[in-house]
Amino acid sequence: MTGTAAPFAADDYRARMERAARSAAEAGLAGLLVAPGPDLVWLTGYAPTAATERLTLLVLAPGQDPVLVVPTLEAPDAAKATGAGALTLRDWTDGKDPYAATAALLDTGGRFGISDNAWAMHLLGLQKTLPGTSYASLTDALPMLRAVKDAAELELLAAAGAAADATFEEIRKVPFGGRRESEVAADLAGLLRRFGHSQVDFTIVASGPNGANPHHEVGDRVIERGDMVVLDFGGLKDGYGSDTSRTVHVGEPTDEERRVHDLVRAAQEAGFRAVRPGVPCQEVDRAARAVIADAGYGEYFIHRTGHGIGVTTHEPPYMIEGEEQPLVPGMCFSVEPGVYLPGRFGVRIEDIVTVTEDGGRRLNDTTREMVIVD
């Protein structure tokens, strides 16, 4: 991830850092330690061009100003970040101990939330310098940190969804039969970029029996007439994610293929209809899964119903059995049930949905009916 996450102001980042520090205190933590990655981008707008062995760490703690510990040679870039005006930069030079510089900011016996993607060498360095401290991953400690989006974030997610929709409308016009999966995937990537994506995270094109693998790696299989083809694609536009799936058919489908596609469409609709404030995340999964199970295909729905999306394309909350986190207005996540018949074909239909005050709103609006392609 490069560049700033979105056109937010310093006050937006200040408010996020203040909220994160309060959330840490409410969770019984002495503070948060945020390494380069999506959390740092979301909190400060700063994304180093490359994460290296040199320590960069944002320190957030209740009652103290945010501090970004950063290598001296990277300090000028950090100072240009939009959120830099809402924090203090503390730089360290090569040959000095960055852990000692960071330790001076920390409660020597505190428990801290730390970014999931922090380097092990950095965490171990902090533990060695402050043996009385302990740590928990941010996903475990504050899973909902970025989950509830504000109005500006929702606008950016809607724009990313619209760009993905425009991509689908164009890809359905290209030839499928007789072309390799990799060729169609390249078309998808090019279209996502044409419609404003700066980063393409995935372009799954799973034809025929490959469709029975939900995370099929695009290959050189030639798509044949009579194939069902699962398309799943997305990435980042202006720092916020898109992710949508549609299943098309090359030529006329069989009655069974139509029946399975209609089943998944009904399950997706049931999952969407379950979305409303206060409902536990697992109820979205249960609603979609019940439709498929009742039709006798339960064993072929082999993944969760959804995942959160924001400055990354996969993040909390997760629509899965056992997740009792209540839905809150502003949460955004996928609803993507599927049926995967080994050696034969698969079907998946996916929209990004946001929770509203009285239900849910789809951020993807392309048809969920069976689409026939050439």
Side-chain angles (χ1 to χ4, degrees):
M1 184 182 297
T2 58
T4 55
F8 297 107
D11 284 347
D12 296 313
Y13 293 114
R14 178 179 289 107
R16 289 177 184 178
M17 287 188 280
E18 290 174 352
R19 177 156 62 91
R22 287 196 303 271
S23 296
E26 291 166 1
L29 299 171
L32 304 180
L33 307 177
V34 185
D39 292 318
L40 186 63
V41 172
W42 184 77
L43 286 163
T44 69
Y46 177 51
T49 53
T52 71
E53 74 284 356
R54 292 184 174 96
L55 180 73
T56 295
L57 206 63
L58 174 68
V59 179
L60 298 177
Q64 70 182 51
D65 292 336
V67 177
L68 182 63
V69 179
V70 62
T72 299
L73 76 169
E74 295 175 10
D77 287 338
K80 295 175 185 176
T82 306
L87 52 79
T88 299
L89 288 178
R90 178 169 296 186
D91 65 314
W92 61 275
T93 56
D94 284 353
K96 302 294 184 180
D97 184 353
Y99 306 112
T102 306
L105 305 170
L106 305 182
D107 177 347
T108 58
R111 181 169 178 78
F112 295 88
I114 189 166
S115 298
D116 297 19
N117 57 317
W119 284 30
M121 66 178 287
H122 296 155
L123 176 56
L124 293 170
L126 287 171
Q127 288 178 317
K128 182 177 180 180
T129 303
L130 293 174
T133 56
S134 60
Y135 303 87
S137 75
L138 279 186
T139 291
D140 289 338
L142 293 176
M144 296 297 113
L145 179 64
R146 305 194 315 260
V148 179
K149 276 63 179 180
D150 61 26
E153 291 182 292
L154 290 173
E155 185 176 335
L156 289 166
L157 282 161
D165 283 357
T167 294
F168 178 71
E169 294 296 353
E170 290 300 312
I171 202 69
R172 61 185 289 186
K173 301 174 185 176
V174 310
F176 277 70
R179 301 178 69 212
R180 298 183 187 280
E181 292 176 342
S182 56
E183 293 175 308
V184 177
D187 289 342
L188 278 171
L191 288 166
L192 284 168
R193 292 190 175 95
R194 187 209 295 180
F195 292 115
H197 281 64
S198 60
Q199 178 176 312
V200 177
D201 286 349
F202 47 89
T203 52
I204 294 173
V205 179
S207 63
N210 289 341
N213 177 0
H215 282 175
H216 169 66
E217 290 287 339
V218 167
D220 289 330
R221 183 182 186 275
V222 175
I223 301 170
E224 301 174 357
R225 189 165 187 81
D227 278 349
M228 195 84 88
V229 185
V230 179
L231 305 174
D232 186 349
F233 50 94
L236 298 182
K237 179 182 186 295
D238 296 326
Y240 279 74
S242 68
D243 185 2
T244 189
S245 300
R246 294 292 186 264
T247 303
V248 302
H249 198 277
V250 186
E252 284 300 316
T254 64
D255 289 345
E256 181 189 22
E257 288 169 332
R258 280 197 180 278
R259 185 169 64 253
V260 173
H261 190 279
D262 287 347
L263 173 63
V264 174
R265 181 165 56 86
Q268 207 270 348
E269 178 70 16
F272 169 69
R273 294 295 175 191
V275 174
R276 60 185 182 277
V279 169
C281 291
Q282 66 181 2
E283 292 301 326
V284 178
D285 182 85
R286 287 175 176 177
R289 198 168 300 276
V291 173
I292 292 173
D294 289 349
Y297 287 86
E299 66 183 292
Y300 303 112
F301 181 11
I302 56 177
H303 55 71
R304 65 196 175 204
T305 293
H307 57 81
I309 191 169
V311 293
T312 60
T313 49
H314 280 211
E315 61 185 47
Y318 298 103
M319 306 303 112
I320 190 171
E321 181 67 30
E323 178 52 80
E324 298 180 351
Q325 167 67 41
L327 298 180
V328 176
M331 283 182 174
C332 292
F333 47 85
S334 65
V335 178
E336 52 176 307
V339 168
Y340 308 94
L341 303 178
R344 301 183 62 207
F345 65 89
V347 177
R348 180 164 64 257
I349 299 173
E350 173 185 15
D351 294 325
I352 298 303
V353 173
T354 183
V355 184
T356 64
E357 293 298 330
D358 58 1
R361 175 169 67 94
R362 285 186 167 101
L363 300 186
N364 296 106
D365 293 319
T366 54
T367 182
R368 285 164 284 278
E369 301 285 343
M370 172 78 77
V371 169
I372 308 299
V373 297
D374 293 331

